[in-house]
Amino acid sequence: MALRPYWKGYLKLSLVTCPVQMMPATSESEKVRFHTLNRETHNRVVSHYVDAVTGKEVKEDDEVKGYQRGENDYIILEDDELENVALDSTKTIDIDVFAPRDSVEWIWLDTPYYLSPDDPVGQEAFSVIRDAMAAEDMVGISRLVISRRERAVMLEPRGKGIVLWTLRYGDEVRDEGAYFAGIDDTASDSQVMPLIQQLIKKQTRHWDSKLVADPVQDKLLEIIEAKRKKTRRPTKAKASEPKATPNNVINIMDALRKSVEAENRPGKR
């Protein structure tokens, strides 16, 4: 069954416009999910909104959005007021700024989406915009309303399509200097570097999605399958032995030599 587009609208660059659709580039649908049940009846537990003062359940029609401006003081916004926030970026991705791809650091990238033409007639315009950015190694910066919030977005050509990244807001990215200030800035030991480089070369592999597989999910599925078949009960994980407290002084040369020796043993990949 074809997936339903997350968003539909238009991609615009100056006078060039084409209809596009956007799909999430990532998914968590394969994750193991649980429902909360009543242990005695095995019926699902349903959550409800409750008035924080009276303790009474709030009907859906009585739920309303409120912006807090003080203690127990809110500005009420009705649904029609929120829906009527008319922004051009609600239905149009208008590229008005370009930047070199390598100038946008990874820390600003938030959520990826796949952007593709939504009409055969618009494919040529879409391809021209995509190929021009790829030829110049540029990305487009624009804005788009997603879930009632206007987000800065970055458009990056990828193969036949375009990846649209939502970008984090300026106040969401913390200054790295505050966290790295205490790190010693002296040069690395020239005797240590070759050993580190040897380890890196020895342990280098081509990227594969299996490198980021989730072993917890696999174990959960095993437990669920075992319970389903009722052939055995899941065994409790053994308590891990307390780890020895490491010495404050570590001989990095000895540790690296041992690591290299272990990697070079016969039969070791």
Side-chain angles (χ1 to χ4, degrees):
M1 183 175 64
L3 296 177
R4 184 179 179 182
Y6 179 78
W7 177 90
K8 281 188 171 188
Y10 295 90
L11 176 62
K12 180 181 179 183
L13 173 58
S14 186
L15 300 178
V16 180
T17 304
C18 61
V20 291
Q21 60 181 2
M22 194 169 73
M23 299 287 291
T26 59
S27 171
E28 294 189 352
S29 61
E30 299 301 319
K31 293 289 186 182
V32 175
R33 299 183 183 278
F34 297 100
H35 295 290
T36 302
L37 307 179
N38 181 329
R39 183 187 295 276
E40 295 182 358
T41 65
H42 286 194
N43 295 330
R44 287 184 60 180
V45 175
V46 181
S47 60
H48 297 281
Y49 283 107
V50 176
D51 189 297
V53 176
T54 65
K56 295 181 179 180
E57 183 178 334
V58 180
K59 296 180 180 179
E60 185 175 354
D61 291 342
D62 292 331
E63 296 172 13
V64 66
K65 303 295 183 184
Y67 175 82
Q68 187 172 10
R69 61 181 176 182
E71 186 175 358
N72 297 323
D73 185 12
Y74 298 89
I75 297 175
I76 303 300
L77 293 175
E78 300 293 343
D79 286 343
D80 57 350
E81 293 177 300
L82 295 172
E83 294 292 345
N84 289 332
V85 179
L87 296 171
D88 292 338
S89 54
T90 302
K91 284 296 180 182
T92 302
I93 305 170
D94 191 352
I95 308 176
D96 55 2
V97 174
F98 290 92
R101 175 62 186 90
D102 58 7
S103 68
V104 184
E105 296 185 86
W106 65 268
I107 198 168
W108 294 99
L109 306 182
D110 191 2
T111 305
Y113 296 87
Y114 290 140
L115 198 67
S116 61
D118 188 36
D119 190 315
V121 177
Q123 286 196 18
E124 183 178 0
F126 180 89
S127 299
V128 168
I129 296 174
R130 175 201 65 204
D131 293 345
M133 288 194 295
E136 298 295 327
D137 196 20
M138 292 284 183
V139 293
I141 306 299
S142 185
R143 307 192 75 82
L144 176 64
V145 172
I146 300 177
S147 301
R148 293 177 174 171
R149 296 184 69 189
E150 188 177 60
R151 302 293 302 270
V153 297
M154 183 187 84
L155 287 84
E156 179 180 16
R158 182 180 178 88
K160 295 181 180 180
I162 293 175
V163 174
L164 180 146
W165 285 91
T166 57
L167 301 177
R168 292 187 171 90
Y169 294 100
D171 58 0
E172 292 179 338
V173 177
R174 294 175 175 175
D175 181 11
E176 63 188 42
Y179 303 91
F180 298 160
I183 300 176
D184 192 353
D185 57 1
T186 57
S188 300
D189 191 326
S190 59
Q191 293 182 319
V192 172
M193 282 292 289
L195 292 172
I196 290 289
Q197 291 170 331
Q198 186 175 349
L199 280 174
I200 291 175
K201 290 179 181 178
K202 186 69 177 179
Q203 296 176 208
T204 297
R205 303 284 185 272
H206 287 293
W207 166 256
D208 190 299
S209 60
K210 294 180 180 178
L211 295 175
V212 288
D214 187 350
V216 174
Q217 294 292 307
D218 294 338
K219 187 61 180 177
L220 284 173
L221 289 172
E222 289 178 10
I223 295 173
I224 291 170
E225 180 64 14
K227 281 181 168 289
R228 188 183 70 83
K229 293 181 177 180
K230 296 182 178 180
T231 57
R232 60 179 175 84
R233 295 183 178 180
T235 56
K236 295 183 179 179
K238 294 181 179 179
S240 57
E241 296 180 0
K243 297 181 179 179
T245 304
N247 294 327
N248 290 331
V249 180
I250 301 175
N251 189 325
I252 189 170
M253 290 293 288
D254 289 344
L256 287 171
R257 286 196 181 99
K258 290 178 181 179
S259 297
V260 172
E261 289 173 1
E263 288 292 336
N264 290 330
R265 287 175 186 165
K268 183 74 174 179
R269 290 194 307 166

